[in-house]
Amino acid sequence: MSKNAVLVINCGSSSLKFSLIEPISGEVMVAGVAERLLSKHAFVKVAFKGSKETTPLIVPFDHQVAVNFIVEFLHENNLVECLSAVGHRLVHGGEEYSTPTLIDDVVKYSIEKLSKLAPLHNPVNLIGVNAAEHAFPDLPQVAVFDTAFHQSMPAKAYIYGLPYSLYEAHGIRRYGFHGTSHYFVSKQAADLLGKPFTKTSVITAHLGNGCSITAIDNGKSVDTSMGLTPLEGVIMGTRSGDLDPGIIFHLIEQLNYTPEQVSSLLNKESGLLGISQMSNDCRTIEEAIINDQDERANLTMDIFCYRIAKSIASYMASLSHFDGLVFTGGIGENSDLVRSRIVNSLHLLNIHLDDNKNTDIRFGKSGLISTESSQHCWVIPTNEEQVIAEQTYQLIVGDK
Ligand code: AMP
């Protein structure tokens, strides 16, 4: 049995996703998720050897209990001896971390300091790190940062039009997120083209509940739509994306919103959900368009797709040449409607879809969906866990 397996942990505020991956072959040995953590309805779902099981968790229903469950599961199935390391998804690595990093007390301290920039993410990511350290004290723990791939952006892409002192004193700049996903799918696109990654220039559209667009020039991220926080950029499931900053003052000064109410409005009540007043789920909006000819749903989808198309077109200013466009994420991988509405606004970039391929390539399939004479346009399912496993393994093997 392999002794290289990496346990990948992605810890959210009320969930903890995990998978045991053989990093060389990419085989997923176990995959699971603990959900509704910190509530008495907490449970863990595990897929192993073709079967799926759901188990309720015990008091105190927290992340440590979830990790203890994973440890016991691995012991019961004689999988602990396969483990070489634990790889963690960390959201914000600031300017300090542009590569995967072995976690020690100094790294933990600086991740904690970076919580100022990512208060919703870094503290819960650290809970996962502490729980895994407690459960596997002898295994190396590695952090793979969502922001790392975007650290190659030039200053002209990451400095805001604000006093420069805010950047110097407080680190207020564009960082970008979903970096592991943008890296994975752009590398896959290079493989599909048969070109070295360092000579491949693509635009990647990661469209899920969170959405971001990235310009990758010769294998390096040179611009991305999310900013200091994941709120900037295109419209998302519940996030507004870009807006006139004056709206925030209007809400506070004229409509008596508190800062907390503004934050909740922009992060949780806007986007697809806010415009449609129906759902943040793209499927529900599509069904309302197709089954009920619902006008608001149609408008919501038009706004969503137009803003994404504008963001993609703007990145022509960022690239030295253009090899193609990649769709990924839950919406990008599955919604032929969204893909065709976006690409319909991009005909001046010579991107045209083959309707049959666009309809066919969904639900986990990968491939070209453009016509023969068009610029390339691919659907490539993302696999952040695979990247985290590979990078964790490379780091610890390199360290030996
Ligand atoms: P993610 O955050 O990448 O897991 O993506 C989640 C989003 O993908 C959901 O909110 C849905 O809007 C969208 N999605 C998943 N499956 C489909 C589908 N078959 N058609 C359209 N959208 C989908």
Side-chain angles (χ1 to χ4, degrees):
M1 196 185 270
S2 158
K3 291 202 182 305
N4 301 329
V6 174
L7 177 65
V8 177
I9 291 186
N10 179 354
C11 195
S13 53
S14 63
S15 70
L16 189 150
K17 284 192 207 147
F18 61 95
S19 37
L20 187 67
I21 297 180
E22 210 297 317
I24 297 162
S25 67
E27 182 200 352
V28 179
M29 302 158 76
V30 184
V33 60
E35 287 182 55
R36 299 196 186 183
L37 293 173
L38 309 176
S39 88
K40 57 181 192 261
H41 306 294
F43 64 90
V44 194
K45 274 193 284 193
V46 185
F48 178 52
K49 286 189 174 168
S51 71
K52 286 185 185 162
E53 259 182 50
T54 302
T55 315
L57 283 175
I58 53 167
V59 239
F61 312 112
D62 62 4
H63 297 78
Q64 186 66 59
V65 171
V67 172
N68 292 348
F69 175 92
I70 299 168
V71 178
E72 250 174 65
F73 182 90
L74 297 179
H75 270 296
E76 276 167 19
N77 293 285
N78 299 321
L79 291 167
V80 171
E81 55 262 43
C82 305
L83 274 176
S84 62
V86 185
H88 295 269
R89 176 186 176 217
L90 265 294
V91 168
H92 217 306
E95 289 188 331
E96 282 104 308
Y97 298 105
S98 56
T99 51
T101 303
L102 199 61
I103 300 175
D104 58 17
D105 286 345
V106 176
V107 174
K108 281 207 294 187
Y109 177 69
S110 67
I111 294 170
E112 209 173 301
K113 277 208 318 202
L114 286 163
S115 292
K116 255 198 254 169
L117 296 174
L120 301 177
H121 297 100
N122 275 24
V124 285
N125 294 162
L126 267 181
I127 292 174
V129 171
N130 287 328
E133 269 183 353
H134 183 73
F136 302 105
D138 299 328
L139 285 181
Q141 313 272 331
V142 173
V144 176
F145 296 92
D146 252 26
T147 46
F149 182 54
H150 300 302
Q151 276 298 300
S152 50
M153 282 191 290
K156 68 179 177 187
Y158 69 71
I159 297 289
Y160 288 115
L162 291 168
Y164 198 76
S165 54
L166 283 173
Y167 164 58
E168 290 178 305
H170 302 289
I172 295 182
R173 52 158 282 183
R174 175 185 312 288
Y175 289 96
F177 299 90
H178 292 144
T180 309
S181 173
H182 290 293
Y183 164 73
F184 177 79
V185 298
S186 54
K187 207 152 171 293
Q188 294 270 308
D191 290 346
L192 289 170
L193 279 170
K195 279 176 100 169
F197 187 42
T198 50
K199 294 205 159 76
T200 301
S201 295
V202 290
I203 295 173
T204 48
H206 178 110
L207 310 178
N209 206 20
C211 300
S212 66
I213 320 297
T214 295
I216 293 142
D217 196 45
N218 293 321
K220 289 200 162 108
S221 169
V222 288
D223 207 346
T224 192
S225 59
M226 284 177 167
L228 174 77
T229 74
L231 184 54
E232 192 183 347
V234 295
I235 285 171
M236 314 180 204
T238 59
R239 295 186 197 127
S240 63
D242 295 340
L243 39 77
D244 175 355
I247 292 172
I248 295 172
F249 304 112
H250 187 83
L251 290 169
I252 292 173
E253 288 162 9
Q254 306 299 327
L255 303 178
N256 301 322
Y257 275 64
T258 64
E260 292 73 28
Q261 285 170 328
V262 174
S263 172
S264 169
L265 181 84
L266 301 185
N267 279 295
K268 298 186 183 152
E269 299 157 44
S270 297
L272 294 178
L273 172 67
I275 304 170
S276 70
Q277 293 289 300
M278 191 182 284
S279 172
N280 65 323
D281 195 309
C282 183
R283 284 164 290 202
T284 310
I285 295 170
E286 281 189 24
E287 277 160 22
I289 296 172
I290 295 162
N291 301 338
D292 312 326
Q293 280 83 49
D294 186 287
E295 272 184 37
R296 180 71 70 79
N298 196 40
L299 175 66
T300 305
M301 200 58 103
D302 263 349
I303 298 169
F304 179 71
C305 294
Y306 175 61
R307 293 272 295 263
I308 292 166
K310 275 211 296 189
S311 174
I312 292 168
S314 75
Y315 286 151
M316 288 301 135
S318 319
L319 300 180
S320 58
H321 67 283
F322 181 48
D323 287 316
L325 169 66
V326 182
F327 285 110
T328 194
I331 299 175
E333 291 166 29
N334 297 305
S335 175
D336 50 339
L337 180 85
V338 166
R339 295 187 309 227
S340 81
R341 283 200 188 186
I342 293 170
V343 170
N344 273 344
S345 300
L346 296 174
H347 58 96
L348 291 181
L349 299 184
N350 188 29
I351 310 179
H352 304 279
L353 294 191
D354 176 316
D355 290 339
N356 290 330
K357 287 184 188 163
N358 186 34
T359 314
D360 181 47
I361 298 188
R362 292 193 288 160
F363 312 131
K365 284 194 202 166
S366 176
L368 258 189
I369 55 170
S370 44
T371 60
E372 296 230 327
S373 59
S374 157
Q375 288 278 9
H376 289 109
C377 179
W378 301 270
V379 173
I380 302 178
T382 195
N383 194 339
E384 288 152 293
E385 289 76 16
Q386 171 67 27
V387 177
I388 295 172
E390 264 173 31
Q391 295 190 341
T392 297
Y393 185 66
Q394 276 161 12
L395 184 76
I396 58 156
V397 169
D399 262 16
K400 276 181 185 162

